[in-house]
Amino acid sequence: VEETPEAMEHWDRAFALEALARAEAANGLGTAQATLELAYAACAEVADPDDRAVVEQELARGPWFGLERRPS
């Protein structure tokens, strides 16, 4: 996603960070909370409200393996 931004949709970064944060949390990595915060920030940058809502729904869905999430 970072290496070829021109090939990505505007919501790809948010979804990539969401998946990475979830995987990091599942594996007990200490970087998971910071990655989740990056995912929230990327979600806020999604311009289309309908697309942003889809990302927000995914961020609200568990499991998060103990990470602190923002309220929906």
Side-chain angles (χ1 to χ4, degrees), residues 2-64:
E2 299 293 331
E3 291 182 18
T4 57
E6 67 281 354
M8 300 297 127
E9 294 291 335
H10 59 275
W11 40 262
D12 280 332
R13 184 168 189 272
F15 274 123
L17 288 165
E18 174 271 326
L20 180 59
R22 200 178 297 272
E24 289 175 342
N27 286 286
L29 299 179
T31 54
Q33 190 67 51
T35 303
L36 179 57
E37 290 303 317
L38 290 173
Y40 281 121
C43 178
E45 294 174 4
V46 175
D48 183 276
D50 293 332
D51 291 339
R52 187 172 49 255
V54 173
V55 178
E56 289 169 344
Q57 288 173 349
E58 193 64 18
L59 286 168
R61 185 181 65 80
W64 279 104

